[in-house]
Amino acid sequence: MSLETYFNGLYYAGRNRFSVRFSISRHGVAEIEVGEQNRLEISLHNTLLDLIGDPQTTLQISWDGENGRHALLCPEPALFDTLLRLNLPAPTLAQLATLQKKQQQGLKGEQHRVPLYLSLIAVFFIGGYFALHYSAPLVADLIPYQWEQKIGSFAFENYQIGKKTVSDKSVNDAVNTIVNRIDQFDGAEIVYQVAVVDADMINAFAFPGGYVVVTTGLIKNSDNPDQVAGVLAHEITHVLERHGMRKLVRQAGLGVLIGIVFGDVTALSQLIELSSQLDSLSFDRSQERNADDGAIKIMTAAGLSPQHLAAFFEKIQKADSISGDIPELFQTHPLSEERIKRVSAAAEPKQTFKFDMDWYKVKQAAE
Amino acid sequence: MKFNITNPGAFSTLLVHLEQGEAIKAESGAMITMSETLDVDSKMEKGLLGGLSRKLLTGESLFFQTITASRGPGEVMMASSYPGEIQILELDGSEEFLLQKDGFLAAEHSVQVATKAQNLTKGLFSGEGFFVMRISGRGKLAISTYGGIQKLTLAPGETRIIDNSHMVAWSANANYKIEKASKGWVSSFTSGEGLVCRFHGPGDVYIQTRNSPGFGSWIRQFIPTR
């Protein structure tokens, strides 16, 4: 007598497959409808029970028959409930209970696996980002000075490609005089190499390794050499504090970071590739504040009034509120009221130093 | 709806005839030519998250294209982006298939496609990646392979060893295990086989007669290095 519950399954007779409907009788006989006419009755007492598939959630009832092994497959969880109600030998019932539990776990595990992998991937990337973010400054400090110099010299040469450098002796001498004055008071043993680039934009920057670039635009827009000195002292502080290197290392990625830690030279070549970005890196607020403080310190020590730098900041700020466009220098070093206030509040140097040059003539030569 | 394979061989194409109102989903970018009565629409299967997870996980496109015969019957010709054969599977709903990520070409609208995560060992060593596609429902499914395609039918209890990265589609019932090709680790790798997949029947396994990583490393020797 049938329990009148039908299950859908697959019936394999050797390699022949049939999609079937079957029911289980009270006496433990599977009645399989193969096609329209054929009916097959299999006593469950002579079969092997197993869970198969990926995930392992399909019940396989298999037995030996004509032309090889036969199997009835059914993934429906309700089949277990039906089978467990039958009057089957105790070991079979125990096995069924184990398989049912396994099936339930399998179904559950399957649901969780995709979200689990997704969260693992997310954790990996977020973790990687933070690892990179926080370890970059530490790792940047591990970079040997020779590397820094190579990166700087490459960036310096690269920057000058396609740009006109000013050959006028009076302009170059003036800028060199300013840089030399700063050099004596920057607290570092770096030999600076200077290039004056013929460009109208107001810009100046320093690459790692002591390479300094000044545009004629900056010279023309400065009222005195002290203002240029202030801007350069700010830029040099960025280099001394390794702000640019930190940014570069952060952008280089985990592979380069590991390379630096282990002194792998290929990391150097990767940093050199990225170094062309050095002139357009923008710094964060605390780094700017840091560089302003450095500039004040250097200027005061060199006998130059930080007020000149403050005056230059103010002049540029007024100018761009009129013209609406921000000079290149302040696109990468955003200027704020707070920064101007901090610089103008700086103390005057005890001994003052005066640059021995005709600034008006230098400006004219830079035209 | 009729699925036919035209241009059989290495550059085979799939020609689908649609009656008015019928629709198919296809790998985006697979369409070559179609009747003007058909409309192409991109649709994310299983919503945004489903689409995203399929894109991120199986490497399949975020959007399937849906081709609908909204203005009358018509035909569309499709092909995958790599050379190889196409096979049409008739799914009757009684069996689910797992499909490697590049294997999907087109299917009737009634066929469902989802992402399935393989376990760690399979993800790392099967050559199919961590995520494969799970195909269920009723209807026609066209799969594409790199190289020729071969169907293996396994009887209950039968086992078959298949080199990893040659599998294209397999019945979800025909589970496999990863194992070394020979008894020892050294001979496994010196034999050039490395790891293989041991399939347990019953079920069907569709294999491709070439594998793309193998072809890639073969062709790499002819590419001049800088």
Side-chain angles (χ1 to χ4, degrees):
Chain A
M1 197 186 87
S2 165
L3 293 179
E4 296 304 323
T5 315
Y6 286 97
F7 300 97
N8 291 310
L10 278 177
Y11 166 55
Y12 276 88
R15 286 187 182 155
N16 298 318
R17 190 191 69 183
F18 308 92
S19 182
V20 295
R21 207 163 79 115
F22 66 95
S23 61
I24 307 283
S25 80
R26 266 190 225 285
H27 310 293
V29 174
E31 294 169 13
I32 310 169
E33 294 172 14
V34 187
E36 294 281 300
Q37 272 91 40
N38 285 336
R39 241 179 126 78
L40 204 72
E41 293 196 354
I42 300 297
S43 166
L44 293 176
H45 295 272
N46 305 318
T47 58
L48 278 178
L49 300 170
D50 203 1
L51 277 184
I52 60 160
D54 184 8
Q56 284 201 351
T57 50
T58 303
L59 178 66
Q60 173 178 254
I61 303 166
S62 59
W63 64 93
D64 280 317
E66 282 170 48
N67 54 44
R69 227 165 148 70
H70 291 229
L72 179 64
L73 313 185
C74 179
E76 293 175 33
L79 178 59
F80 273 108
D81 298 331
T82 306
L83 292 175
L84 282 165
R85 279 201 296 268
L86 297 175
N87 186 21
L88 290 170
T92 314
L93 285 174
Q95 194 201 358
L96 277 169
T98 319
L99 292 178
Q100 185 182 33
K101 211 170 169 192
K102 220 169 134 189
Q103 186 193 44
Q104 286 162 351
Q105 282 170 351
L107 288 169
K108 224 168 151 186
E110 194 63 13
Q111 279 173 1
H112 294 311
R113 202 181 277 162
V114 169
L116 179 76
Y117 279 18
L118 276 179
S119 10
L120 281 178
I121 291 170
V123 164
F124 181 80
F125 279 106
I126 295 167
Y129 173 80
F130 279 105
L132 208 62
H133 193 82
Y134 288 107
S135 64
L138 304 174
V139 173
D141 294 346
L142 289 175
I143 294 179
Y145 183 66
Q146 290 97 311
W147 283 29
E148 219 178 288
Q149 226 170 0
K150 268 189 198 150
I151 294 165
S153 91
F154 184 85
F156 185 61
E157 273 170 38
N158 204 37
Y159 177 78
Q160 290 176 63
I161 293 172
K163 293 188 181 71
K164 223 172 96 191
T165 46
V166 174
S167 52
D168 186 280
K169 196 172 173 299
S170 61
V171 176
N172 278 297
D173 282 353
V175 175
N176 272 313
T177 309
I178 295 168
V179 171
N180 284 338
R181 183 69 194 167
I182 297 168
D183 190 9
Q184 292 168 41
F185 301 94
D186 65 358
E189 285 172 32
I190 295 179
V191 185
Y192 290 102
Q193 201 176 323
V194 186
V196 183
V197 171
D198 189 4
D200 282 335
M201 57 189 186
I202 303 172
N203 209 353
F205 40 81
F207 292 119
Y211 300 93
V212 178
V213 174
V214 177
T215 62
T216 48
L218 176 69
I219 296 171
K220 284 184 278 184
N221 284 285
S222 304
D223 301 327
N224 48 49
D226 308 55
Q227 293 187 345
V228 176
V231 172
L232 286 178
H234 174 100
E235 290 302 320
I236 283 167
T237 310
H238 276 311
V239 172
L240 296 179
E241 298 279 325
R242 298 189 163 204
H243 292 162
M245 288 306 288
R246 286 179 188 183
K247 280 245 151 160
L248 216 58
V249 166
R250 201 169 284 169
Q251 276 183 10
L254 213 57
V256 176
L257 239 69
I258 294 165
I260 294 167
V261 174
F262 290 99
D264 179 4
V265 185
T266 50
L268 172 63
S269 64
Q270 275 163 293
L271 281 179
I272 285 180
E273 257 173 62
L274 278 172
S275 68
S276 57
Q277 302 175 3
L278 271 174
D279 64 297
S280 56
L281 286 178
S282 60
F283 299 101
D284 59 43
R285 237 180 260 171
S286 72
Q287 286 176 328
E288 289 301 347
R289 201 177 301 140
N290 225 323
D292 284 342
D293 289 347
I296 293 168
K297 216 166 144 189
I298 293 171
M299 286 186 88
T300 323
L304 308 166
S305 167
Q307 296 310 320
H308 290 299
L309 181 60
F312 182 73
F313 282 171
E314 260 175 64
K315 179 179 165 180
I316 295 300
Q317 202 186 35
K318 263 182 211 144
D320 57 72
S321 63
I322 296 164
S323 70
D325 44 46
I326 307 163
E328 264 72 11
L329 179 63
F330 298 108
Q331 283 177 9
T332 52
H333 304 260
L335 204 49
S336 63
E337 283 296 334
E338 187 224 339
R339 277 185 65 193
I340 299 175
K341 264 187 204 152
R342 272 173 71 87
V343 177
S344 29
E348 289 294 314
K350 290 196 180 89
Q351 283 183 326
T352 49
F353 171 84
K354 187 117 184 67
F355 281 112
D356 180 23
M357 61 176 81
D358 186 343
W359 189 245
Y360 180 72
K361 267 192 185 155
V362 174
K363 278 171 80 165
Q364 284 220 309
E367 282 290 339
Chain B
M1 191 178 305
K2 276 189 216 132
F3 275 49
N4 285 308
I5 291 162
T6 49
N7 304 302
F11 297 96
S12 51
T13 47
L14 175 72
L15 190 66
V16 180
H17 289 267
L18 296 141
E19 296 302 328
Q20 181 156 10
E22 287 182 330
I24 57 164
K25 50 187 135 202
E27 167 58 34
S28 66
M31 197 275 286
I32 301 168
T33 170
M34 64 180 197
S35 314
E36 62 95 28
T37 46
L38 306 191
D39 288 322
V40 177
D41 198 6
S42 65
K43 195 188 149 208
M44 276 183 279
E45 188 81 351
K46 306 228 163 190
L48 181 64
L49 269 180
L52 264 178
S53 72
R54 211 179 51 248
K55 162 81 187 157
L56 291 171
L57 306 179
T58 66
E60 275 287 318
S61 332
L62 180 56
F63 295 93
F64 272 135
Q65 44 175 252
T66 311
I67 299 171
T68 316
S70 39
R71 281 171 281 114
E75 61 176 32
V76 53
M77 187 189 263
M78 283 171 289
S80 66
S81 48
Y82 46 90
E85 285 188 352
I86 295 169
Q87 177 118 13
I88 298 159
L89 276 65
E90 291 276 355
L91 306 182
D92 60 3
S94 64
E95 202 176 15
E96 293 187 353
F97 276 90
L98 299 179
L99 185 61
Q100 67 122 307
K101 45 189 181 289
D102 298 328
F104 183 86
L105 180 60
E108 263 185 73
H109 211 62
S110 49
V111 172
Q112 277 117 46
V113 182
T115 300
K116 179 189 155 53
Q118 301 209 85
N119 68 25
L120 198 65
T121 328
K122 286 180 182 173
L124 287 172
F125 302 115
S126 69
E128 310 299 336
F130 278 98
F131 300 96
V132 291
M133 297 163 95
R134 177 185 276 276
I135 311 286
S136 54
R138 284 164 190 273
K140 294 184 185 72
L141 164 74
I143 59 172
S144 60
T145 57
Y146 174 67
I149 193 162
Q150 181 93 45
K151 179 185 176 183
L152 304 170
T153 303
L154 307 182
E158 192 180 350
T159 59
R160 185 96 190 181
I161 291 164
I162 297 165
D163 187 86
N164 53 354
S165 71
H166 277 271
M167 294 124 63
V168 181
W170 56 98
S171 316
N173 288 327
N175 197 4
Y176 69 93
K177 285 195 174 76
I178 306 273
E179 57 181 42
K180 334 187 261 295
S182 334
K183 279 201 178 113
W185 278 107
V186 175
S187 59
S188 286
F189 284 93
T190 48
S191 72
E193 290 305 330
L195 298 164
V196 292
C197 305
R198 182 186 285 265
F199 272 89
H200 291 267
D204 293 337
V205 184
Y206 292 85
I207 57 170
Q208 53 187 12
T209 59
R210 296 287 187 276
N211 77 76
S212 23
F215 181 65
S217 55
W218 178 77
I219 210 165
R220 209 164 293 135
Q221 62 185 318
F222 305 113
I223 299 172
T225 46
R226 269 197 296 163

